[in-house]
């Protein structure tokens, strides 16, 4: 299956993607995680991305599209993938169409996670992220690590992402409404969108997502 996951910052895309990718046996491709890995390795791409991310702005398409394409071309993505955080504006959506068309493949569905803004603020304020692998995320209230400050999955140190400050979250939400929401209509006109509520326990949202995707397939 080839799926795009869309939703505001803090909706739980990364959390759900980890479970969905496992259930569907496809890789979880998060452009945010790829950027953060490049930043922690000090690569030129990481250096280019960092200031945009810290400001809550989108990293330019020229950088993002090439990185996403390279990742989608890895052999583990031959049978499908779950894209998390890409595409994030209409020009990226069109670039993705071209990438897929070159290989004669198409998307199976776009899963849209809906969550009220006050819940987003609570989820992001309490999020703690693993320094060794930013796909490992926790929450001070909703998903506490066994040992405070330590990642359950790899023992890495937990920290608060620099772009999770209240001011930057507000900026990220503004960018989401302006740049990213239009892609939902773009995909809706192609009959690809399923919208589910991202409220409730993590497992409940995963069940909702799995049954929505099965209906879509
Ligand atoms: P990215 O890393 O993609 O950030 P985001 O889209 O803002 O999403 P988040 O990671 O903040 O949230 P999430 O929805 O994954 O929520 P999570 O599962 O962690 O992008 C960061 C930046 O990179 C962008 O601002 C941009 O600069 C750049 N970038 C990335 N992609 C780009 C692109 N394509 N083009 C240009 N720039 C790009 O959950 C949040 C918290 O809630 C966690 O603590 C979790 O434990 C908790 N939680 C999850 N589910 C539940 C639940 N059901 N109940 C209670 N708590 C829950
Ligand atoms: Zn970890």
């Amino acid at each position: 299956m080839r799926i795009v996951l869309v939703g505001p910052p803090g909706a739980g895309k990364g959390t759900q993607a980890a479970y969905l990718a496992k259930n569907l046996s496809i890789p979880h491709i998060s452009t945010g995680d790829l950027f953060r890995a490049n930043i922690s390795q000090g690569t030129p791409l990481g250096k280019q991305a960092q200031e945009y991310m810290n400001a809550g702005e989108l990293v330019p398409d020229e950088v993002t599209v090439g990185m996403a394409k390279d990742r989608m071309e890895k052999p583990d993505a031959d049978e499908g993938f779950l894209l998390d955080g890409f595409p994030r504006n209409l020009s990226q959506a069109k670039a993705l169409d071209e990438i897929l068309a070159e290989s004669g493949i198409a998307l199976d569905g776009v899963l849209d996670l809906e969550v009220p803004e006050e819940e987003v603020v609570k989820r992001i304020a309490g999020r703690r992220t693993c320094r060794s692998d930013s796909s490992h995320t926790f929450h001070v209230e909703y998903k506490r690590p066994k040992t405070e400050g330590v990642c359950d999955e790899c023992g890495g140190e937990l920290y608060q992402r620099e772009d999770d400050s209240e001011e930057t979250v507000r900026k990220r939400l503004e960018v989401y409404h302006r740049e990213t929401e239009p892609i939902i209509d773009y995909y809706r006109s192609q009959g690809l969108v399923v919208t589910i509520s991202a409220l409730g326990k993590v497992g409940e949202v995963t069940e909702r997502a799995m049954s929505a995707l099965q209906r879509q397939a």
Side-chain angles (χ1 to χ4, degrees):
M1 263 190 132
R2 294 179 180 88
I3 303 158
V4 167
L5 199 53
V6 65
K13 299 183 296 296
T15 302
Q16 291 304 324
Y19 294 108
L20 296 174
K22 204 168 166 197
N23 286 351
L24 298 164
S25 306
I26 49 177
H28 166 205
I29 301 180
S30 154
T31 41
D33 288 341
L34 290 171
F35 284 133
R36 281 183 289 276
N38 274 280
I39 290 170
S40 64
Q41 288 154 19
T43 69
L45 192 146
K47 289 196 178 98
Q48 264 178 300
Q50 190 161 29
E51 73 183 87
Y52 294 98
M53 291 175 78
N54 288 349
E57 303 275 1
L58 295 187
V59 178
D61 294 344
E62 306 82 78
V63 180
T64 308
V65 171
M67 180 186 74
K69 183 170 190 276
D70 285 349
R71 178 62 188 89
M72 281 186 274
E73 285 171 354
K74 295 242 166 84
D76 68 338
D78 278 354
E79 301 302 319
F81 45 70
L82 180 58
L83 293 177
D84 160 11
F86 179 83
R88 230 178 172 95
N89 58 25
L90 275 175
S91 97
Q92 291 182 13
K94 289 175 184 162
L96 175 62
D97 284 347
E98 281 174 29
I99 294 169
L100 297 174
E102 273 171 27
S103 310
I105 52 181
L107 290 176
D108 296 293
V110 174
L111 183 66
D112 166 32
L113 296 184
E114 211 170 47
V115 59
E117 211 141 301
E118 62 271 20
E119 178 70 12
V120 159
V121 172
K122 269 197 268 175
R123 288 188 184 180
I124 290 190
R127 171 166 54 192
R128 297 295 178 269
T129 302
C130 175
R131 271 203 198 280
S132 310
D133 182 336
S134 70
S135 72
H136 302 161
T137 55
F138 298 84
H139 193 282
V140 292
E141 218 178 305
Y142 310 129
K143 191 187 172 196
R144 300 170 67 134
K146 287 193 197 88
T147 310
E148 206 188 309
V150 180
C151 175
D152 286 353
E153 293 183 59
C154 74
E157 181 203 354
L158 299 182
Y159 78 112
Q160 187 158 29
R161 265 168 52 178
E162 216 161 314
D163 61 344
D164 280 353
S165 69
E166 206 186 311
E167 194 195 338
T168 311
V169 170
R170 237 180 279 125
K171 178 73 194 172
R172 285 160 60 201
L173 278 166
E174 186 193 309
V175 169
Y176 177 76
H177 293 311
R178 193 182 62 233
E179 300 278 332
T180 310
E181 271 179 349
I183 74 168
I184 302 177
D185 284 334
Y186 176 74
Y187 286 128
R188 192 170 280 129
S189 69
Q190 300 171 34
L192 285 171
V193 177
V194 277
T195 300
I196 63 160
S197 162
L199 286 176
K201 295 213 171 75
V202 170
E204 289 166 358
V205 181
T206 309
E207 273 177 35
R208 226 174 275 150
M210 282 302 292
S211 54
L213 289 174
Q214 271 146 13
R215 282 199 303 274
Q216 185 73 12

